[in-house]
Amino acid sequence: MAGYDDRDGFIWMDGKLVNWRDANVHVLTHAMHYASAVFEGERCYNGKIFKSRAHSERLRKSGELLDMELPWSVDEIEAAKDAVLKANNLTDAYVRALAWRGAGEDMGVAAKRNPIRMAVAVWSWGNYYGDAKLKGAKLDIAKWKRPSPDTIPHAAKAAGLYMICTMSKHAAEAKGCSDAMMFDYRGYVAEATGANIFFVKDGEVHTPIPDAILNGITRQTVIGMLQGMGVTVNERRIEASELESFEQCFLTGTAAEVTPVGQIGDYNFEVGALCKQVSLDYEKLVRA
């Protein structure tokens, strides 16, 4: 398979479509040195991006939280996504919108004089965790913790916040796992490296309060689905000692969709009826 830098197609950059291989930036781009970038991951089903506008709104909000006001409106971001999907003739695709501080007059930590740039790329992407939707994903327990909200803008989907996620996922894959579960700075269960986490016990669902993690759009969607099914959802702080008492576990995220978890460290979970039902109902919802 060709690398992501060597493909046919088009990418939207700064207001126009450019050839995929020409979608490049200068090596002194501020974001490459100081992680001044925000992004969104979205999925398009049957020609329609699920919760597209909510993602575009969050992209702008993430930029604001990083002191980067995007010079594109929500409507303009929506139009860019539509244009690049059509240019690449895709109706089922992953959509990556990215905004960053580019190269300019500043090359220190401060970069007010540098332009804010933006790109949207789309490509075909299958199940994020392979066959885990049937067997359940296997997760490692990360040594890195999600930082305190006093130290990072945790409500932003910011590139720099994923560094420890990359490190944790690499360590997990080295152990034969698909991903890693992370604790927060207090020692409570937080999330996986790129997905929110849910547990099932006695017919009720438990999930961490998003006070130190991103409140995912898929997370919010699934909570609404569960409540619509009459399932009690407990948003609370979850202790590490509780893991052995949960019966089922699943992850949610745009890339992950709804993926059951079969194992976290030494703790095992069944791919049970509720996990399967939520996954099936989510598949129906996004394609409705």
Side-chain angles (χ1 to χ4, degrees), residues 173-191:
E173 290 176 341
K175 298 177 183 178
C177 298
S178 301
D179 204 346
M181 187 196 77
M182 306 180 78
F183 292 108
D184 70 16
Y185 67 102
R186 299 160 296 195
Y188 296 122
V189 172
E191 58 185 346

Side-chain angles (χ1 to χ4, degrees), residues 223-268:
I223 287 175
M225 289 171 52
L226 289 164
Q227 292 171 336
M229 295 164 58
V231 176
T232 298
V233 179
N234 302 285
E235 294 185 74
R236 64 181 181 84
R237 295 188 177 97
I238 299 174
E239 302 272 1
S241 59
E242 297 181 69
L243 290 174
E244 63 181 352
S245 69
F246 293 126
E247 301 151 6
Q248 301 175 52
C249 177
F250 59 91
L251 303 176
T252 65
T254 297
E257 299 172 299
V258 178
T259 299
V261 173
Q263 184 177 349
I264 302 176
D266 294 329
Y267 304 104
N268 295 300

Side-chain angles (χ1 to χ4, degrees), residues 38-83:
V38 295
F39 70 97
E40 285 294 319
E42 311 168 44
R43 278 193 186 267
C44 182
Y45 302 90
N46 298 330
K48 183 179 179 181
I49 301 173
F50 185 64
K51 297 288 181 78
S52 181
R53 197 168 188 87
H55 282 285
S56 296
E57 290 170 350
R58 188 172 66 180
L59 183 69
R60 283 187 52 83
K61 181 63 177 177
S62 293
E64 290 172 10
L65 289 169
L66 267 67
D67 196 25
M68 288 170 40
E69 185 175 353
L70 274 59
W72 292 275
S73 68
V74 169
D75 287 341
E76 288 171 327
I77 297 170
E78 289 292 288
K81 290 187 282 189
D82 182 61

Side-chain angles (χ1 to χ4, degrees), residues 174-216:
K175 298 177 183 178
C177 298
S178 301
D179 204 346
M181 187 196 77
M182 306 180 78
F183 292 108
D184 70 16
Y185 67 102
R186 299 160 296 195
Y188 296 122
V189 172
E191 58 185 346
T193 62
N196 292 117
I197 194 164
F198 291 76
F199 300 95
V200 181
K201 181 179 179 181
D202 297 330
E204 295 187 359
V205 171
H206 305 262
T207 190
I209 300 170
D211 60 353
I213 57 175
L214 190 71
N215 185 10

Side-chain angles (χ1 to χ4, degrees), residues 10-208:
F10 299 91
I11 291 176
W12 184 97
M13 285 190 76
D14 301 324
K16 63 182 180 181
L17 293 166
V18 301
N19 287 324
W20 190 290
R21 295 178 181 86
D22 296 331
N24 301 312
V25 297
H26 194 272
V27 71
L28 292 183
T29 292
H30 192 269
M32 291 181 64
H33 298 257
Y34 299 103
S36 50
V38 295
F39 70 97
E40 285 294 319
E42 311 168 44
R43 278 193 186 267
C44 182
Y45 302 90
N46 298 330
K48 183 179 179 181
I49 301 173
F50 185 64
K51 297 288 181 78
S52 181
R53 197 168 188 87
H55 282 285
S56 296
E57 290 170 350
R58 188 172 66 180
L59 183 69
R60 283 187 52 83
K61 181 63 177 177
S62 293
E64 290 172 10
L65 289 169
L66 267 67
D67 196 25
M68 288 170 40
E69 185 175 353
L70 274 59
W72 292 275
S73 68
V74 169
D75 287 341
E76 288 171 327
I77 297 170
E78 289 292 288
K81 290 187 282 189
D82 182 61
V84 76
L85 281 165
K86 289 178 179 176
N88 288 284
N89 196 30
L90 289 173
T91 56
D92 287 80
Y94 181 80
V95 181
R96 171 56 57 88
L98 172 73
W100 69 96
R101 287 194 187 278
E105 296 179 58
D106 293 322
M107 199 49 220
V109 173
K112 282 288 189 179
R113 294 180 295 177
N114 290 18
I116 306 301
R117 303 189 59 188
M118 185 177 136
V120 181
V122 297
W123 62 88
S124 297
W125 207 10
N127 291 336
Y128 187 65
Y129 292 112
D131 62 357
K133 285 191 176 183
L134 299 175
K135 302 191 302 183
K138 181 181 179 183
L139 272 58
D140 184 28
I141 296 178
K143 72 174 184 178
W144 299 102
K145 292 182 170 63
R146 296 309 302 163
S148 163
D150 293 333
T151 64
I152 61 167
H154 76 280
K157 196 168 177 68
L161 306 187
Y162 283 78
M163 180 182 69
I164 57 174
C165 297
T166 297
M167 296 163 68
S168 297
K169 186 155 177 137
H170 285 175
E173 290 176 341
K175 298 177 183 178
C177 298
S178 301
D179 204 346
M181 187 196 77
M182 306 180 78
F183 292 108
D184 70 16
Y185 67 102
R186 299 160 296 195
Y188 296 122
V189 172
E191 58 185 346
T193 62
N196 292 117
I197 194 164
F198 291 76
F199 300 95
V200 181
K201 181 179 179 181
D202 297 330
E204 295 187 359
V205 171
H206 305 262
T207 190

